[in-house]
Amino acid sequence: MPTMARSNAFTNWQQSVGQRAAQEPPHNEHEKMLQRSDNIGSVKIPRVKVVLPQAATTILAVISVLSVLTFAKSVAMPVVLALILYLVLRPVMTIFHRWHLPPVVGATICLFVIIGAFAAAMMNLTGPIKDWIANAPEYLNQIEMKLSGVEKQIEDMEQASAKIKEIAKPDEADEPVPVAIQQPKLFPGVEIVSNSGGLVAGTVITLGLLFFLLVYGHTTISNLIAGFEITSSKAKAKDLIEDLQHGMSLYLFTVTVINVSLGIITGLAMYLLGLPNAFLVGVMAALFNFIPFLGAWTGTAIVFFIAILQPFSIGYACVFPAVYFGLTSLEGQFVTPFLLGRSMSLNPLIVFLFLAIWGWMWGIGGVFLAVPILAVLKIIADYFPSMRLFSQAMKC
């Protein structure tokens, strides 16, 4: 026992001396070197965990989704269009439900109205469009006569450009002769048939899916919400779907009514000012107003060229595009913000980027669907903290 007690006392004394020595600063270079060697042995190297950044993963996922949507354009675009039309017609189906109409009857009425409106528009627009195409050379001559001063400047620029091309053009003897082997086509019109077949198939997909969404959409969504096991997740999914349906239905329905009203007012104004084919201009105004910024500018340019083809002076011809642009600006700056408020105000920069991206992916159909898709993404982003950055960026 005394031996064990002495051993424990000696151990405690060594530990106390070591602690004091560790606290005391070194007195010479030799002690400094010894202290460095002791510290090197006691250093713990932390483990580094390599994790792929979440931003990079999100970017890769977005690129993958956009690639799939671009590849599956012929199916994805009709599906998205049907979903957007379903959201637009939700208030109408609610009214039919209050009138105790079966969903099948309500959906059939909606489809007949859509098909009838489209057929009526095509019947009224086919004549003027054919007339413009047939008389295109005459219209070009009229434009040249009215813009004779500008034509001289354009000719000078063309001559200068031709001279530059002649100077920069290499000798024909040095150029290799292109050789292309083309096999005869068995069916020369198969490309036209394929394109028209794709249009018909897309129309069938859109109308068919829209019909089933109007009839069974509410039941399907209710069953999906009931499938969540966690109560909090079920409540969050229910709130998201209800907010998405209500918000997008109200937004798209209001925008559609505004654009149709703008088309009627614009067509009436063009008719009173004496512009031929005023109905066609009104339809163009209603459709182009679904495209922010670009729609108003493009419509104004088209109205200017239509007006300058008529027997008007240059000054009076400029009245038509001015009225057109004024009406679209009045709608965009006052009417839409007053009716929708700031709940759906979107950042113009993000809107322009979406127009460019979806237009590149899906063509003119993507340009029309870009803003509704952006509005849907904004509502979804407000419910998920991981998308908070995207939600803040979309606010105006």
Side-chain angles (χ1 to χ4, degrees), residues 131-132 135-148 150-151 154 270 274-277 280-281 284 288 296-325:
D131 180 68
W132 285 359
N135 299 325
E138 183 182 352
Y139 292 154
L140 293 176
N141 292 331
Q142 294 179 12
I143 293 175
E144 290 178 359
M145 293 176 60
K146 290 192 175 183
L147 301 178
S148 57
V150 180
E151 181 185 0
I154 294 175
M270 296 295 122
L275 186 68
N277 300 319
L280 180 61
V281 176
M284 180 190 68
F288 280 13
W297 301 338
T298 306
T300 302
I302 293 175
V303 169
F304 173 73
F305 282 108
I306 295 175
I308 207 172
L309 293 174
Q310 309 307 318
F312 303 137
S313 63
I314 297 295
Y316 189 71
C318 294
V319 173
F320 297 94
V323 172
Y324 181 93
F325 189 77

Side-chain angles (χ1 to χ4, degrees), residues 49-118:
K49 187 177 182 181
V50 180
V51 181
L52 185 65
Q54 185 177 3
T57 306
T58 304
I59 292 173
L60 292 176
V62 171
I63 293 175
S64 302
V65 171
L66 294 180
S67 301
V68 172
L69 291 176
T70 304
F71 178 76
K73 169 187 173 181
S74 58
V75 176
M77 188 165 63
V79 170
V80 173
L81 179 59
L83 291 173
I84 292 175
L85 290 176
Y86 165 70
L87 293 176
V88 173
L89 296 174
R90 278 290 300 170
V92 179
M93 292 298 295
T94 303
I95 295 174
F96 288 159
H97 180 70
R98 293 174 183 172
W99 293 349
H100 303 286
L101 285 177
V104 176
V105 178
T108 304
I109 294 174
C110 291
L111 287 184
F112 271 108
V113 170
I114 292 174
I115 296 173
F118 182 77

